[in-house]
Amino acid sequence: MPHSYPYGTLQLFARSSDLDRQQQLLLNNGLTSYIGTFDPGELCVCAAIQWLQDNGASYFLNRKLEQEPSAQAKPVKNTFLRMWIYSHHIYQQDLRKKILEVGKRLDVTGFCMTGKPGIICVEGFKEHCEEFWHTIRYPSWKHISCKHTESMETEGNGQDLRLFHSFEELLLEAHGDYGLRNDYHMNLGQFLEFLKKHKSEHVFQILFGIESKS
């Protein structure tokens, strides 16, 4: 306090071991700004103490909030789904086009094996797979059923769970050509080899009721 007080500028400094240097600087800047609002000749010591009592707690609160680790966001769990769909046959060009378009639009992976029988595998987040199933099934596809599903929980994007890298049409060799409809049976031996390459041979028996040979 200068000898010329209250006409001389009063210099006050607050210090606390519970504040770091940055918070202490902010506190004293606020205090100095408040003292600067008084005119020369005005008594301000008691007013400054009152200001500290009224405003000091907020600086300690800010310090506490900075010290507390931010709450860790809980990872969101998603359901990754793989559906194995069996159809009596898949021939029509417009239907094949629709299946591919829906699969790529919904960001799912898998395949559509055309011919007789027709097999579709779709994998991705549950809501995408279910929308795919609903879209291709309705309104008029009668001879189709979901034979098997595989469900897994994941906290990521599910990429490590995918067995396929894209959604594509699978064309295999056929046995026979019966009339104008090309009513041919797909080569199930080739299909089994395809499933083995994608670590899915376990569904062969489920789809066809046939024992797979090792």
Side-chain angles (χ1 to χ4, degrees), residues 2 34 49 51 54 60 109 133 139 153 156 165 169 181 191 198:
Y34 174 69
I49 294 173
W51 184 91
D54 294 341
F60 287 88
T109 52
W133 173 230
E153 294 294 321
H165 301 296
E169 189 172 64
R181 292 185 57 210
F191 182 56
H198 292 87

Side-chain angles (χ1 to χ4, degrees), residues 4-123:
S4 57
Y5 177 79
Y7 297 98
T9 302
L10 182 66
Q11 294 181 346
L12 293 179
F13 184 81
R15 180 183 291 109
S16 172
S17 59
D18 290 332
L19 295 177
D20 62 19
R21 295 176 64 180
Q22 179 63 24
Q23 293 298 328
Q24 196 159 274
L25 176 62
L26 292 174
L27 172 61
N28 283 291
N29 285 345
L31 178 60
T32 300
S33 296
Y34 174 69
I35 293 174
T37 62
F38 288 82
D39 294 328
E42 284 190 274
L43 298 174
C44 61
V45 173
C46 292
I49 294 173
Q50 186 64 49
W51 184 91
L52 284 171
Q53 291 177 337
D54 294 341
N55 298 278
S58 62
Y59 293 90
F60 287 88
L61 178 61
N62 289 339
R63 171 61 176 165
K64 182 179 179 181
L65 291 176
E66 284 191 359
Q67 288 179 331
E68 291 179 352
S70 58
Q72 292 285 338
K74 292 184 178 180
V76 177
K77 289 189 176 182
N78 295 301
T79 300
F80 185 87
L81 188 65
R82 185 176 301 112
M83 304 178 71
W84 296 92
I85 300 167
Y86 180 96
S87 173
H88 181 263
H89 61 267
I90 302 176
Y91 295 129
Q92 297 177 3
Q93 289 293 338
D94 56 343
L95 178 59
R96 292 161 61 179
K97 182 179 179 182
K98 176 182 179 181
I99 292 171
L100 291 176
E101 288 178 347
V102 174
K104 292 178 180 179
R105 173 172 62 84
L106 292 175
D107 191 31
V108 294
T109 52
F111 66 88
C112 172
M113 185 179 81
T114 59
K116 182 178 180 178
I119 305 295
I120 302 172
C121 175
V122 58
E123 59 179 7

Side-chain angles (χ1 to χ4, degrees), residues 143-206:
H143 303 291
I144 187 172
S145 62
C146 181
K147 287 289 192 76
H148 182 58
T149 60
E150 299 166 3
S151 179
M152 295 148 277
E153 294 294 321
T154 178
E155 295 177 356
N157 58 13
Q159 287 299 119
D160 57 325
L161 300 175
R162 294 182 187 267
L163 299 179
F164 305 91
H165 301 296
S166 60
F167 190 84
E168 303 291 343
E169 189 172 64
L170 176 62
L171 299 173
L172 301 178
E173 293 179 0
H175 295 296
D177 185 348
Y178 307 110
L180 296 178
R181 292 185 57 210
N182 291 325
D183 194 14
Y184 45 78
H185 292 260
M186 303 312 297
N187 189 321
L188 297 186
Q190 282 190 348
F191 182 56
L192 176 57
E193 292 303 315
F194 172 80
L195 292 178
K196 288 180 178 179
K197 289 180 180 179
H198 292 87
K199 302 178 181 179
S200 303
E201 61 269 26
H202 61 282
V203 300
F204 189 83
Q205 182 180 358
I206 298 173

